[in-house]
Amino acid sequence: MPRVRELEVFRLVLPLGRRSESLLVKLTDHGGMTGWGEATAPPAKTWSRLEETLAALLIGVDWEHPDTLPSGDSAVDMACWDLWTKMRGVPLAEAIGGTRTSLMATVRLSPDSSVEGLVTRVNQQICAGYGHVTLDVRPGWDVEPVRAVRQAYPALTLAVDCGNAYTDLDQLVALDSYGLEVIERPFATTDVHSHASLQDQVTASVAVEVASAAELDDYLTLRAARVLLLRPAAFPSLSEARRAHDRAAAAGWDIQCTGGQGAGLARAATVAVASLPGCTLPCDVTQPPRQNQIVTPVVGANGGVIAVPLTQSGLGHEIDEDRLRRMTKESFHA
């Protein structure tokens, strides 16, 4: 039975890319074992809420299972799962019901300064072993780059991520003629009916991203998509992410796990969730730069394949605490 004797919370500014922030939680039990969790791009109020409530919630409290601590925070929940599974000597993937030992990966490519430049980047990724590519598209950067990539690589498995940026159905229907596997996040999350209309008109599977199992219900009822884009870090708990997985899989949907941001811990949790049996599409934890990660080994793909760490308990990665503290903007300890 875990009992936390001390905790630390760190706010990190990642040094490369868009210099986004992560919030890390470290829990230490009375035997000296540690559990780690991460929230990527946390809301501003998260820091003050954790500072005010986390110690009372965890320190000196006996608990049987992570689900018995309703923290409502993904970093705390992840740290509890990491500690709980380490105490039992089992990998996180196994503890939540994962069955895969390795995962196929997709690589995500942002818009380029030119269509030719994008095609060159796609070629680089194919040469690196990727057989599945996801292109970020937006109004004004969609049909032309997708057409160019498809013409250059007729057999490539290709998806597009629309970033919830579209309002015009016709623009997206036009993309479907280029043999896309998935059209991700086409409209605002609340616009279920537009998703349903698009799915009725395209061969590609429409993918939606939600932050709770309950949000998925309207999409399932209206058959408004065929793919769940599952981002574990967006859920308040790993168990809630598992519930969304179970509902989508029971409805016959495909599932793609995504979560390439952060310092490596959230990515590691994404890999664990992606090992669940319903996660049938390539996993996305490849968003650069790898240099932002504080975990060993770094989480990512090798030759288009991601290994699921099953020889170590918990998240399966060591933490470089010296690097973590150098990247820390502020912290508190209790």
Side-chain angles (χ1 to χ4, degrees):
M1 179 180 293
R3 175 180 284 189
V4 174
R5 65 174 169 85
E6 63 179 297
L7 62 89
E8 290 183 87
V9 180
F10 308 86
R11 177 182 283 170
L12 277 62
V13 177
L14 304 181
L16 300 175
R18 297 180 180 178
R19 294 184 61 82
S20 57
E21 291 192 355
S22 274
L23 190 151
L24 269 63
V25 172
K26 177 186 180 183
L27 306 178
T28 305
D29 79 346
H30 283 267
M33 189 167 287
T34 59
W36 290 85
E38 178 182 17
T40 57
K45 63 180 181 180
T46 302
W47 178 264
S48 59
R49 177 165 49 83
L50 290 181
E51 193 170 20
E52 293 166 2
T53 66
L54 189 53
L57 178 70
L58 288 174
I59 291 183
V61 176
D62 292 325
W63 46 281
E64 294 284 351
H65 188 275
D67 287 347
T68 64
L69 293 169
S71 68
D73 181 84
S74 61
V76 177
D77 177 79
M78 189 188 305
C80 290
W81 273 99
D82 188 36
L83 178 59
W84 187 78
T85 50
K86 283 177 178 175
M87 292 184 70
R88 280 152 181 77
V90 298
L92 176 62
E94 178 183 325
I96 63 174
T99 58
R100 290 183 171 86
T101 59
S102 64
L103 312 168
M104 297 301 295
T106 185
V107 62
R108 187 174 300 275
L109 298 180
S110 59
D112 205 290
S113 58
S114 69
V115 170
E116 293 77 13
L118 176 64
V119 173
T120 298
R121 288 165 62 204
V122 170
N123 179 67
Q124 292 170 344
Q125 299 303 329
I126 292 173
C127 292
Y130 288 95
H132 189 289
V133 173
T134 301
L135 304 178
D136 286 343
V137 297
R138 299 293 183 271
W141 177 267
D142 43 28
V143 172
E144 186 178 356
V146 170
R147 180 194 300 121
V149 171
R150 175 53 73 214
Q151 289 176 343
Y153 304 101
L156 177 66
T157 304
L158 193 61
V160 295
D161 182 357
C162 305
N164 307 116
Y166 284 79
T167 56
D168 186 345
L169 201 70
D170 292 339
Q171 288 177 281
L172 296 170
V173 172
L175 286 175
D176 189 52
S177 62
Y178 297 103
L180 299 177
E181 180 183 51
V182 179
I183 299 174
E184 298 178 10
R185 305 188 301 167
F187 307 108
T189 305
T190 55
D191 191 355
V192 180
H193 290 281
S194 289
H195 286 84
S197 296
L198 178 62
Q199 187 63 90
D200 283 342
Q201 296 183 49
V202 297
T203 303
S205 294
V206 174
V208 295
E209 181 177 350
V210 298
S212 71
E215 285 184 30
L216 187 59
D217 288 342
D218 286 343
Y219 288 98
L220 294 173
T221 300
L222 293 178
R223 299 180 181 178
R226 293 200 296 260
V227 171
L228 171 62
L229 194 63
L230 184 59
R231 190 182 305 273
F235 286 76
S237 70
L238 290 176
S239 292
E240 181 69 6
R242 174 66 200 252
R243 281 189 284 274
H245 161 279
D246 292 349
R247 291 190 190 183
W253 284 26
D254 290 309
I255 301 171
Q256 179 184 40
C257 272
T258 185
Q261 299 83 6
L265 292 166
R267 295 187 195 212
T270 299
V271 169
V273 174
S275 71
L276 291 170
C279 296
T280 48
L281 296 180
C283 180
D284 175 20
V285 291
T286 57
Q287 182 171 316
R290 284 190 173 200
Q291 295 93 321
N292 280 342
Q293 296 192 46
I294 60 164
V295 299
T296 304
V298 296
V299 184
N302 183 11
V305 177
I306 304 164
V308 180
L310 295 174
T311 58
Q312 288 182 285
S313 59
L315 288 166
H317 297 263
E318 299 296 327
I319 309 300
D320 184 344
E321 291 201 46
D322 290 337
R323 177 168 169 76
L324 161 64
R325 294 179 190 278
R326 290 196 300 269
M327 294 165 60
T328 295
K329 182 179 180 181
E330 59 180 320
S331 65
F332 69 82
H333 178 276

